Amino acid sequence: MVVLRREIGDVLRDARQRQGRTLREVSSAARVSLGYLSEVERGQKEASSELLASICEALDVPMSLVLREVSDRIAVAEGLHIPDTIPADVYAGLLSRAGETRDAESMRGDLAPVG
């Protein structure tokens, strides 16, 4: 059985590790205790939407991309095929609203594809 909190934790941990950052660095930036962040990453605690937003901000990864990755992982576990594309206009909208200067390809690298 797929457990949502475990999938969220795995995606957050993967993003943090790809950035070469420690739990301590991210917990400080997200203003959450190191122990609690560790429990979230291990799927032992449910992250509230506010906490998830804070962790995503600390990782500089849009929450929508984290949730998409979680959704894709669940779909794969359910045996569904999910195309690994996000329309360019969606990325452009994310970038312009966030005031980011990174392009879509560099942001896409923040999360690993599934399947």
Side-chain angles (χ1 to χ4, degrees), residues 2-63:
V2 175
V3 178
L4 183 60
R5 71 176 180 267
R6 287 188 194 139
E7 295 300 328
I8 291 171
D10 287 347
V11 170
L12 292 173
R13 183 179 48 251
D14 290 348
R16 177 182 59 77
Q17 289 176 338
R18 270 192 304 281
Q19 293 176 10
R21 296 176 66 192
T22 65
L23 273 170
R24 187 172 308 283
E25 290 169 338
V26 175
S27 69
S28 177
R31 297 182 181 197
V32 61
S33 76
L34 178 97
Y36 198 81
L37 178 58
S38 175
E39 289 179 310
V40 167
E41 283 192 0
R42 288 181 282 136
Q44 295 177 335
K45 295 285 185 183
E46 299 273 352
S48 68
S49 57
E50 293 86 357
L51 178 63
L52 184 57
S54 182
I55 295 167
C56 289
E57 184 176 324
L59 290 169
D60 195 29
V61 176
M63 185 166 40

Side-chain angles (χ1 to χ4, degrees), residues 22-112:
T22 65
L23 273 170
R24 187 172 308 283
E25 290 169 338
V26 175
S27 69
S28 177
R31 297 182 181 197
V32 61
S33 76
L34 178 97
Y36 198 81
L37 178 58
S38 175
E39 289 179 310
V40 167
E41 283 192 0
R42 288 181 282 136
Q44 295 177 335
K45 295 285 185 183
E46 299 273 352
S48 68
S49 57
E50 293 86 357
L51 178 63
L52 184 57
S54 182
I55 295 167
C56 289
E57 184 176 324
L59 290 169
D60 195 29
V61 176
M63 185 166 40
S64 60
L65 293 183
V66 168
L67 294 175
R68 179 180 188 269
E69 176 73 12
V70 169
S71 176
D72 286 354
R73 288 175 180 228
I74 292 171
V76 168
E78 294 173 337
L80 300 175
H81 172 72
I82 305 298
D84 189 29
T85 59
I86 296 178
D89 60 330
V90 172
Y91 266 117
L94 284 172
L95 296 174
S96 66
R97 276 185 275 140
E100 296 277 344
T101 57
R102 297 178 348 178
D103 63 13
E105 287 304 313
S106 69
M107 187 176 286
R108 183 172 285 139
D110 288 341
L111 298 175

